[in-house]
Amino acid sequence: MNYQLIDAHSHLWLTQDTVVNGQRIYQLEPNRSRSMFFGEERQMLPPYMTDGKNSAERFLSNMDYAQVSAAVVTQEFIDGLQNDYLAEVEHQYPDRFFTFGMADYREPGFLELAERLMQEFKGIKVPAARLPQQFLNDEMMQMMHLMEERGKILGIELMDGDLQVGQLKEIIEECPRLKIAIGHFGMVTRPGWLEQIKLARHENVFVESGGITWLFNDEFYPFPSAIRAIKEAADLVGMEKLMWGSDYPRTITAITYKMSYDFIEKSTELTPEEKRLFLGENARRFFEFQELIDLPYIKNMSE
């Protein structure tokens, strides 16, 4: 491996306890790595994380082992707002993490908090897929203009297919200098996913693959259909617009962290240059990582 790896989609939290659509999401006690998720018990963390803490230090251990130089930490309503912890993480590990701030856009008046978050974070997350289908209102557009003025990055996930694509197009037209990272590879296994990918034809719009192993979980490792989808997206927008993301830690309840990228690294359908761009170089440029750590390969006891 002669390139540096950057994970463009991950999550961190110390405590998970929130309400989404009127239903509570919380860690089961005591000493459980599972959570109650919309009324169902779910394996939210790998089973050895028995205290429910999905911390930066545990992630760094996984990153160091898998030779991942840096990671982008996004947010989601199902994890609860994690602004305080993520600001602390980026301050403590500035060369390893880029973190997103997030406001609660489900109630009016969020712009005040979002403006404060822009003083701490280089990016703001909008999980539009968990908002009403018509998520773009006057207050949201005001936030987009403010982000563009201040040079912030928008991280966003959309509903399946093209349900919200028109609204993101409106944001792109209104704020052409706003850098945008579209998550979950456009919800690649759903009909109409390429309409989201096509948005990356705009200069400042990129797409990251966080959750792609979850979306192709029925097929499982080494995810040949995911490789074909990456190639199809690259044919539309260019490999230089696509970034690898793991969706850590939820995806590593099914696979190891290293498996979330080595199916790409081992693929014979992608060139070494395509792998270099997708697995790190594009994210390095987009998120403006400066000093990246070089991590040696550590041999396993089982080898």
Side-chain angles (χ1 to χ4, degrees):
M1 186 173 64
N2 58 355
Y3 40 81
Q4 291 173 308
L5 299 165
I6 297 176
D7 186 344
H9 187 121
S10 64
H11 299 268
L12 294 175
W13 63 80
L14 292 183
T15 302
Q16 186 183 49
D17 192 348
T18 189
V19 175
V20 179
N21 297 335
Q23 297 192 65
R24 189 173 166 217
I25 298 170
Y26 60 96
Q27 179 199 352
L28 292 170
E29 297 289 351
N31 301 324
R32 300 293 296 276
S33 54
R34 297 177 185 174
S35 294
M36 189 58 67
F37 183 79
F38 295 135
E40 294 183 354
E41 188 172 334
R42 293 289 183 89
Q43 191 72 43
M44 188 70 73
L45 293 170
Y48 51 81
M49 291 188 187
T50 56
D51 59 2
K53 292 183 179 179
N54 171 35
S55 68
E57 289 72 25
R58 285 176 172 166
F59 191 19
L60 283 169
S61 181
N62 272 286
M63 290 166 63
D64 290 351
Y65 171 73
Q67 297 176 275
V68 175
S69 296
V72 177
V73 184
T74 187
Q75 294 203 53
E76 233 274 30
F77 288 144
I78 64 172
D79 300 331
L81 297 182
Q82 301 292 333
N83 295 313
D84 291 344
Y85 181 54
L86 296 190
E88 177 186 325
V89 166
E90 186 164 345
H91 177 76
Q92 189 170 358
Y93 305 106
D95 296 331
R96 303 300 301 273
F97 292 114
F98 177 109
T99 62
F100 278 97
M102 186 176 75
D104 191 343
Y105 315 107
R106 295 168 292 187
E107 299 293 336
F110 59 79
L111 185 58
E112 182 179 352
L113 173 58
E115 189 167 3
R116 292 201 304 270
L117 292 174
M118 289 180 213
Q119 298 173 23
E120 287 192 87
F121 292 93
K122 292 175 282 189
I124 300 294
K125 172 67 180 292
V126 176
R130 295 201 185 274
L131 294 172
Q133 183 174 334
Q134 182 60 44
F135 74 92
L136 184 59
N137 53 30
D138 289 343
E139 189 173 21
M140 183 69 73
M141 186 61 87
Q142 288 179 56
M143 186 180 81
M144 299 299 167
H145 280 290
L146 194 59
M147 290 173 62
E148 183 188 36
E149 290 171 12
R150 299 189 179 183
K152 305 301 177 180
I153 294 176
L154 169 65
I156 190 166
E157 284 129 24
L158 303 176
M159 290 179 175
D160 295 359
D162 64 353
L163 291 175
Q164 294 175 319
V165 164
Q167 295 170 79
L168 190 51
K169 282 182 179 177
E170 187 176 343
I171 292 170
I172 294 167
E173 290 167 2
E174 287 268 335
C175 307
R177 293 180 290 107
L178 177 64
K179 294 172 70 175
I180 300 172
I182 299 173
H184 292 166
F185 218 65
M187 293 301 292
V188 57
T189 55
R190 312 293 198 255
W193 69 280
L194 288 173
E195 295 308 306
Q196 295 189 35
I197 302 298
K198 290 175 186 176
L199 293 172
R201 289 171 172 169
H202 294 273
E203 181 180 1
N204 289 315
V205 181
F206 283 56
V207 176
E208 44 91 342
S209 71
I212 198 168
T213 60
W214 151 61
L215 289 162
F216 285 102
N217 184 64
D218 289 346
E219 181 180 85
F220 208 64
Y221 187 90
F223 309 106
S225 296
I227 295 292
R228 289 192 289 272
I230 291 168
K231 288 175 63 66
E232 187 173 5
D235 287 342
L236 284 176
V237 301
M239 190 62 78
E240 66 278 4
K241 285 302 198 76
L242 308 176
M243 303 179 288
W244 163 64
S246 71
D247 210 0
Y248 174 100
R250 282 182 270 272
T251 49
I252 65 166
T253 59
I255 59 175
T256 68
Y257 184 49
K258 188 173 182 179
M259 288 167 70
S260 70
Y261 75 78
D262 77 346
F263 75 96
I264 297 165
E265 186 180 40
K266 292 174 179 175
S267 172
T268 59
E269 297 185 51
L270 299 171
T271 68
E273 177 62 11
E274 288 174 328
K275 295 173 186 178
R276 186 184 73 87
L277 292 173
F278 186 80
L279 290 173
E281 177 58 22
N282 295 337
R284 184 193 65 78
R285 290 187 293 105
F286 184 81
F287 292 103
E288 299 181 7
F289 282 101
Q290 300 300 318
E291 301 296 327
L292 288 175
I293 186 172
D294 285 314
L295 295 163
Y297 174 74
I298 304 299
K299 192 174 182 178
N300 288 323
M301 283 293 292
S302 58
E303 291 182 79

